[in-house]
């Protein structure tokens, strides 16, 4: 029931947000012939929005970045995108740099809210509007953000656990690839709650060292032949897990969070059971739109709640449809 409510709220919020995008873009085009339209266009051209993520430049974040860049083009604003490669201290420094540049809006992922709180407080004191994205759904208010764009990680994890249980798995390993990332821990906690069988977490080196990550997963599977399910929390980690399962000659079923072209191909071939899709393109696109509207019209959208972009599920049944979009870089 919780998942159903979450999906309905996600669908309503996302449709409303995208409808607003269409209205803004169309409205800007219509108004361009009037003096007020020209003034608004000039204001948008001068607007600078910074997006600072904990991204690693991998298959997930490259799509989110592409969404942000497209939104900036659609709205005629300047985007300054930067990422910290999962380094909270570096991310805080990048936020402070954006504040010192007096940007007109700040979009930030918040996997480690305590590490970013001071920097975001400085943005608040400088009257820079903030939107959080991807990570930080439960903490966006205390960080001073208007709203959050992403998914509720615990709910998404519960959905993954339910599906793995329905597939008949009895012993699950949840692979954590970033230390201190609150969202990843919430995913595993959600899966543990609904899975019902034996459950373990495995900390691995991460996307910066895929070969070591593969070896760590493979060693785990070789040491415990009763493990029959692996849940990855990133598409690049999922492919490492796929190779580890093959290397260990394990019969474990594999599922993952998030999409890449390689993950979709693996779903189509049956090597990956499903992927939890949080639609990262929208996570990049929508914060730019929300900050634009806040600057132009003082809109504060979301109504005090996150704007949910997930969870959705990509399975063998719908993978072909999503694959075409992934090839275009939009999924």
């Amino acid at each position: 029931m919780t998942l159903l409510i979450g999906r309905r709220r996600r669908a309503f919020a996302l449709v409303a947000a995208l409808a607003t995008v269409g209205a803004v873009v169309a409205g800007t085009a219509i108004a361009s012939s009037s003096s007020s339209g020209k003034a608004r266009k000039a204001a948008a051209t001068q607007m600078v929005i910074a997006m600072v993520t904990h991204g690693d430049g991998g298959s997930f974040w490259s799509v989110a970045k592409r969404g942000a860049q497209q939104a900036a083009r659609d709205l005629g604003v300047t985007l300054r995108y930067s990422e910290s490669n999962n380094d909270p201290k570096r991310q805080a420094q990048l936020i402070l740099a954006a504040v010192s540049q007096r940007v007109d809006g700040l979009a930030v992922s918040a996997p480690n809210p305590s590490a970013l709180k001071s920097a975001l407080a400085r943005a608040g004191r400088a009257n820079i509007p903030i939107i959080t994205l991807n990570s930080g759904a439960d903490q966006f208010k205390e960080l001073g953000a208007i709203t959050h764009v992403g998914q509720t990680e615990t709910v998404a994890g519960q959905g993954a656990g339910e599906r793995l249980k329905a597939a008949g798995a009895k012993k699950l390993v949840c692979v954590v690839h970033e230390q201190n990332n609150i969202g990843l821990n919430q995913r595993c906690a959600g899966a543990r709650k609904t899975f019902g069988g034996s459950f373990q977490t495995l900390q691995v080196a991460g996307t910066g060292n895929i070969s070591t990550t593969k070896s760590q997963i493979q060693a785990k599977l070789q040491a415990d032949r009763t493990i029959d399910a692996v849940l990855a929390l990133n598409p690049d980690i999922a492919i490492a897990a796929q190779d580890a399962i093959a290397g260990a000659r394990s019969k474990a079923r594999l599922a993952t969070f998030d999409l890449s072209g390689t993950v979709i191909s693996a779903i189509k071939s049956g090597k990956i059971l499903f992927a939890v899709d949080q639609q990262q393109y929208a996570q990049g696109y929508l914060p730019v739109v929300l900050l634009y509207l806040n600057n132009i019209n003082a809109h504060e959208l979301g109504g005090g709640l996150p704007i949910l972009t997930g969870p959705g599920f990509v399975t063998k049944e719908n993978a072909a449809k999503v694959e075409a979009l992934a090839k275009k870089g939009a999924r």
Side-chain angles (χ1 to χ4, degrees):
M1 186 63 178
T2 302
L3 283 172
L4 180 60
I5 293 171
R7 289 179 188 134
R8 285 176 177 170
R9 188 200 300 169
R10 167 180 59 83
F12 175 82
L14 188 54
V15 168
L18 291 175
T20 303
V21 176
V24 171
V25 175
T28 301
I30 292 170
S32 62
S33 60
S34 67
S35 59
S36 61
K38 291 177 180 177
R40 181 166 297 188
K41 184 176 180 180
T45 302
Q46 297 170 9
M47 190 184 302
V48 178
I49 292 173
M51 180 172 288
V52 182
T53 77
H54 66 286
D56 56 10
S59 58
F60 178 89
W61 283 106
S62 62
V63 175
K65 179 181 179 181
R66 197 172 293 116
Q69 291 172 328
Q70 186 61 53
R73 286 192 291 269
D74 289 345
L75 298 172
V77 305
T78 297
L79 174 72
R80 293 177 183 166
Y81 181 92
S82 58
E83 52 190 8
S84 70
N85 195 23
N86 305 313
D87 183 341
K89 184 177 180 181
R90 173 64 177 157
Q91 190 179 8
Q93 292 170 341
L94 291 170
I95 292 170
L96 291 175
V99 173
S100 69
Q101 294 163 1
R102 303 194 65 80
V103 297
D104 298 296
L106 184 59
V108 179
S109 63
N112 193 329
S114 60
L116 307 182
K117 193 170 185 178
S118 177
L120 290 175
R122 189 174 297 186
R125 291 193 294 272
N127 295 317
I128 298 173
I130 302 166
I131 303 290
T132 57
L133 67 131
N134 181 259
S135 303
D138 299 325
Q139 294 81 25
F140 77 88
K141 290 182 181 180
E142 64 188 70
L143 294 175
I146 296 169
T147 189
H148 175 83
V149 178
Q151 69 182 1
T152 302
E153 302 290 9
T154 301
V155 172
Q158 289 173 352
E162 287 177 349
R163 285 175 175 262
L164 287 167
K165 180 180 180 179
K170 304 296 182 185
K171 192 168 189 176
L172 171 62
V173 170
C174 188
V175 182
V176 180
H177 62 279
E178 294 172 12
Q179 290 186 349
N180 303 316
N181 185 324
I182 189 171
L184 301 187
N185 293 327
Q186 289 171 339
R187 291 176 181 181
C188 288
R192 179 194 293 269
K193 184 175 181 179
T194 56
F195 180 64
S198 176
F199 184 95
Q200 302 174 35
T201 58
L202 175 65
Q203 182 74 52
V204 295
T207 57
N209 193 338
I210 287 293
S211 61
T212 298
T213 293
K214 174 195 167 185
S215 297
Q216 290 170 327
I217 299 170
Q218 184 169 324
K220 180 70 174 177
L221 295 172
Q222 288 172 330
D224 186 352
R225 293 288 178 181
T226 65
I227 295 170
D228 59 2
V230 176
L231 178 60
L233 306 179
N234 169 278
D236 298 328
I237 301 298
I239 299 307
Q242 175 185 287
D243 294 341
I245 290 170
R249 297 178 183 245
S250 170
K251 294 182 180 180
R253 306 294 299 276
L254 174 62
T256 187
F257 276 71
D258 303 326
L259 296 177
S260 69
T262 309
V263 164
I264 295 171
S265 295
I267 292 172
K268 287 178 65 179
S269 67
K271 294 179 180 178
I272 295 180
L273 188 62
F274 64 83
V276 183
D277 181 20
Q278 59 179 308
Q279 302 180 111
Q280 69 267 38
Y281 185 92
Q283 290 182 12
Y285 194 102
L286 291 176
V288 176
V289 175
L290 295 170
L291 290 167
Y292 171 88
L293 289 173
N294 181 262
N295 273 272
I296 294 296
N297 291 332
H299 284 314
E300 294 189 2
L301 302 181
L305 297 172
I307 295 175
L308 301 182
T309 64
F313 293 89
V314 177
T315 65
K316 198 169 186 177
E317 288 69 31
N318 63 359
K321 181 178 181 179
V322 177
E323 183 177 34
L325 297 169
K327 288 180 178 178
K328 294 179 181 179
R331 294 295 294 273

